[in-house]
């Protein structure tokens, strides 16, 4: 049984982008350091301010996440597309069962990590994966009108749920993706 994650999939990485990424990281750390008021943070270090240390931690977490997702064989996502779609719809519905933040229902607050997650961002990716799997399954039948209506229904459900949050901007992004 083949797994979805495989270190052999990492060969697809373009290592020529690595110096660019490292350069952008260093530049962003320098900007954060240069714009930090040292009198407010009480730091003795000119470069390693608390904000810079925090950003370095997020870069490390992001790098690990990047390598994890780069190792996923995206061809196998088609087998999980409907599960991903349904989980996304449940996350969007679940927003209305939680308390609002600033009078809107857009985010889940994760207190342990001190972050907030916006499921509408994941809905965009979920929709692309689900529609791709649908169109691949339909093959030549993807050109028929019934496929268009199926794709429209698949897109309308998250569209409606995101619109009710209210988040018109994120909702409107779904239809051009569908077309």
């Amino acid at each position: 049984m083949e797994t979805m994650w495989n270190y052999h999939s990492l060969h697809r990485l373009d290592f020529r982008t690595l110096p660019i990424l490292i350069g952008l990281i260093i530049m962003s750390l320098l900007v954060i350091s240069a714009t930090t008021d040292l009198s407010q943070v009480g730091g003795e270090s000119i470069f390693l301010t608390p904000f810079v240390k925090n950003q370095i931690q997020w870069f490390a977490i992001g790098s690990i996440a990047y390598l994890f997702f780069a190792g996923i064989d995206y061809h196998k996502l088609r087998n999980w597309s409907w599960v991903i779609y349904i989980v996304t719809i449940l996350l969007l519905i679940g927003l209305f069962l939680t308390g609002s933040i600033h009078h809107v229902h857009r985010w889940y607050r994760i207190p342990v990590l001190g972050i907030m997650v916006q499921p509408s961002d994941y809905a965009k990716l979920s929709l692309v994966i689900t529609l791709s799997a649908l169109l691949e399954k339909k093959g030549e039948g993807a050109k028929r009108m019934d496929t268009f209506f199926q794709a429209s229904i698949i897109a309308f459900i998250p569209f409606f749920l995101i619109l009710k949050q209210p988040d018109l901007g994120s909702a409107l992004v779904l239809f051009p993706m569908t077309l």
Side-chain angles (χ1 to χ4, degrees):
M1 181 175 138
E2 292 184 43
T3 62
M4 202 147 122
W5 194 90
N6 187 343
Y7 71 91
H8 293 295
S9 297
L10 294 175
H11 79 277
R12 293 187 313 250
L13 291 177
D14 187 359
F15 289 102
R16 295 175 297 178
T17 62
L18 193 59
I20 296 169
L21 289 173
I22 292 172
L24 288 171
I25 289 171
I26 291 170
M27 285 182 4
S28 67
L29 293 175
L30 288 172
V31 168
I32 292 170
S33 177
T35 58
T36 302
D37 185 4
L38 294 177
S39 64
Q40 289 184 351
V41 295
E44 296 177 12
S45 174
I46 295 174
F47 178 71
L48 286 175
T49 65
F51 299 122
V52 171
K53 290 177 184 177
N54 187 33
Q55 194 65 32
I56 290 171
Q57 289 174 345
W58 282 110
F59 281 137
I61 291 169
S63 298
I64 292 168
Y66 173 75
L67 289 174
F68 172 76
F69 286 109
I72 290 177
D73 183 2
Y74 62 89
H75 294 97
K76 294 182 182 170
L77 280 176
R78 76 175 67 92
N79 301 332
W80 290 89
S81 64
W82 289 103
V83 173
I84 294 168
Y85 179 78
I86 290 169
V87 167
T88 302
I89 297 301
L90 291 174
L91 285 171
L92 289 170
I93 291 170
L95 285 171
F96 299 104
L97 305 175
T98 63
S100 65
I101 299 173
H102 302 296
H103 306 291
V104 293
H105 296 275
R106 292 185 193 164
W107 302 281
Y108 285 110
R109 190 179 309 223
I110 303 175
V112 175
L113 299 175
I115 61 173
M116 294 192 303
V117 176
Q118 188 172 8
S120 63
D121 290 336
Y122 301 106
K124 297 167 194 169
L125 182 61
S126 170
L127 183 64
V128 168
I129 293 169
T130 305
L131 290 176
S132 298
L134 173 74
L135 295 175
E136 182 184 26
K137 181 181 174 189
K138 294 284 185 175
E140 285 296 316
K143 298 175 184 176
R144 298 186 347 210
M145 280 304 276
D146 65 323
T147 304
F148 173 76
F149 289 119
Q150 288 173 350
S152 296
I153 290 169
I154 291 169
F156 180 74
I157 295 169
F159 172 82
F160 177 73
L161 291 170
I162 294 170
L163 190 61
K164 291 294 287 179
Q165 294 177 1
D167 189 0
L168 180 62
S170 291
L172 287 177
V173 169
L174 299 180
F175 275 106
M177 290 171 30
T178 305
L179 292 176

